Amino acid sequence: MNYQITINRANTVDEVEEYWTNEDYIKLLEKFDYPDAAEADPASLRELLFMAISDFEPKDAAVIVLEYKLSEALNEGQIQQISNDMFLDKVCEEYPEIGLHSTLFHINQLLFKAYNGTFPNAKATIIECSFTPAEGENENELTKESILKLLNNGLSGSNLIKRLFDSQMTENAPFPEAEDILWDVKTMDNVNYTIMTSEYWLSKDDIIASEFEEVLEIVVDAE
């Protein structure tokens, strides 16, 4: 199917505040030994958490937040290793399991803000775009795989996704990694989308066209 793609806006952000809920703040405050967190003014929870975190050494704080968010995905040794690596590198870009990149980004940036820059500063890219079929209507929401394939013609040849996943982006081939590369996809009408990913995967500078066409083929799994 032929699509007309329009990139309406692309922003670079260093945090997504709505990722962390008041419930998260309360539970983290308890882990950082702040009493009666549940009774605090919800508007002050984030600031209270930053104050509580500042009483801990950065590495110890990193372990606490990593355990809170990723204890089911990582063992103790992995958490200890990541807490060390976070001071030196953007682990949320370099960790081998790309399925953890999104959560590691949010953890990294919470700690970056709490410690005023002790941790490396990572960035995310938020793109507002539309995918309009040449004929008919989009009856179903596009998958992350389809979205990345449709963006191909509007991205620079130096883009990391295109360099690492050339066949998946340009051929009728499955692209399961798309689920982890795109962190979040939202749409109300199956045409206009807001997508979020790491700047590592797709930066504003990677977008070389604001309007372009692309053909989306239906991927057929080999039996």
Side-chain angles (χ1 to χ4, degrees):
M1 181 181 290
N2 293 312
Y3 281 83
Q4 176 70 33
I5 296 93
T6 302
I7 307 296
N8 299 306
R9 182 181 302 172
N11 294 325
T12 302
V13 300
D14 66 357
E15 74 174 328
V16 182
E17 286 192 24
E18 57 266 30
Y19 173 83
W20 298 99
T21 66
N22 286 344
E23 181 181 1
D24 287 325
Y25 289 140
I26 290 170
K27 289 181 177 179
L28 282 169
L29 277 164
E30 292 172 350
K31 292 182 179 296
F32 283 100
D33 300 329
Y34 185 91
D36 304 320
E39 299 176 10
D41 177 6
S44 68
L45 288 172
R46 178 180 167 90
E47 190 62 33
L48 288 173
L49 176 59
F50 285 1
M51 292 173 59
I53 286 177
S54 67
D55 289 335
F56 287 70
E57 290 297 320
K59 181 184 182 302
D60 295 332
V63 169
I64 290 171
V65 183
L66 285 164
E67 287 179 343
Y68 172 68
K69 291 299 295 184
L70 291 171
S71 60
E72 294 184 1
L74 300 170
N75 60 40
E76 182 178 350
Q78 290 171 317
I79 287 175
Q80 290 291 334
Q81 185 63 54
I82 291 175
S83 69
N84 286 323
D85 294 344
M86 288 179 75
F87 291 100
L88 305 173
D89 302 302
K90 297 178 183 179
V91 177
C92 57
E93 296 178 356
E94 300 177 2
Y95 197 69
E97 295 182 37
I98 64 175
L100 299 182
H101 283 195
S102 174
T103 304
L104 288 170
F105 166 80
H106 295 297
I107 291 172
N108 186 91
Q109 293 312 104
L110 180 75
L111 294 167
F112 172 82
K113 296 286 183 177
Y115 285 103
N116 295 314
T118 299
F119 293 81
N121 189 18
K123 303 286 182 66
T125 303
I126 298 176
I127 301 172
E128 296 177 13
C129 52
S130 63
F131 303 95
T132 307
E135 298 179 3
E137 298 180 357
N138 281 334
E139 296 181 358
N140 300 310
E141 181 177 341
L142 291 169
T143 64
K144 292 180 179 180
E145 175 179 329
S146 295
I147 288 171
L148 281 180
K149 288 174 181 285
L150 285 171
L151 289 175
N152 182 68
N153 281 346
L155 301 181
S156 164
S158 63
N159 170 257
L160 184 63
I161 304 171
K162 294 182 69 168
R163 288 192 286 114
L164 291 182
F165 302 102
D166 177 65
S167 62
Q168 293 90 332
M169 288 285 281
T170 60
E171 301 174 8
N172 185 20
F175 192 3
E177 295 87 356
E179 287 296 318
D180 296 326
I181 291 172
L182 291 186
W183 294 350
D184 188 48
V185 172
K186 295 178 181 177
T187 182
M188 297 292 290
D189 56 10
N190 297 337
V191 173
N192 298 288
Y193 286 76
T194 300
I195 63 179
M196 180 169 66
T197 185
S198 171
E199 185 185 48
Y200 169 77
W201 288 115
L202 203 171
S203 72
K204 288 173 58 177
D205 293 339
D206 287 327
I207 301 172
I208 58 173
S210 59
E211 295 187 9
F212 51 96
E213 295 182 354
E214 182 63 270
V215 176
L216 179 65
E217 298 182 25
I218 302 300
V219 177
V220 178
D221 293 330
E223 296 184 0

